[in-house]
Amino acid sequence: MKMATILHGILLLIGTVLLLLGLALFFSARKFRDKGIKTQATVIDNIPSRSTDNHGTSQLYTPLLEYSIGGKTFTYTPNSRSNPPAYDIGEKVPIVYRPDNHHDVRIVGYWGIYLGSNILFAFGLPMFLIGLGYFLFKYGII
């Protein structure tokens, strides 16, 4: 067996696994969005944090969101950071939370809900297509 066949077989296998995981995560996120309770949160602060890399130090901001459920007030800090801040203080942000766990919160938006599945698709699809294309060409199908 040639080395190229082995490498493309591995690419096809890894790509298939990533695509299947991406699909599972996509449907899980869609279920979360559809079955979750939607409400509005208010940005009460932009928490600064320092980020250091080879090019120096930069300041990034994470929004601190406040929302109410049944008269109780909760806060949520997403994992995303940006510079400049993604939201202004006082801005209303749509969120969705799980009915049985009000601490499981996501910002309603394409990247807030589907980020994980998009990352898996972005890596899995090229691997799958390269591996599949190799075998389709090798066996004369295309």
Side-chain angles (χ1 to χ4, degrees), residues 36-135:
I37 298 173
K38 294 164 187 67
T39 188
Q40 294 284 318
T42 304
V43 179
I44 58 172
D45 195 9
N46 281 308
I47 303 167
S49 63
R50 293 216 176 268
S51 174
T52 304
D53 61 12
N54 294 339
H55 303 292
T57 303
S58 62
Q59 185 100 355
L60 298 174
Y61 299 92
T62 304
L64 177 61
L65 306 174
E66 183 178 74
Y67 60 101
S68 297
I69 301 172
K72 293 184 181 180
T73 302
F74 302 95
T75 58
Y76 166 65
T77 305
N79 290 329
S80 61
R81 294 174 180 83
S82 64
N83 187 3
Y87 304 101
D88 295 323
I89 294 176
E91 185 175 347
K92 300 287 186 191
V93 178
I95 61 169
V96 61
Y97 63 91
R98 196 176 302 274
D100 58 340
N101 182 2
H102 60 270
H103 293 294
D104 190 0
V105 179
R106 295 184 196 161
I107 294 175
V108 175
Y110 186 72
W111 295 110
I113 295 177
Y114 298 112
L115 178 63
S117 60
N118 285 341
I119 290 171
L120 291 172
F121 289 147
F123 283 99
L125 188 60
M127 289 181 190
F128 177 79
L129 292 176
I130 290 169
L132 181 65
Y134 173 82
F135 286 107

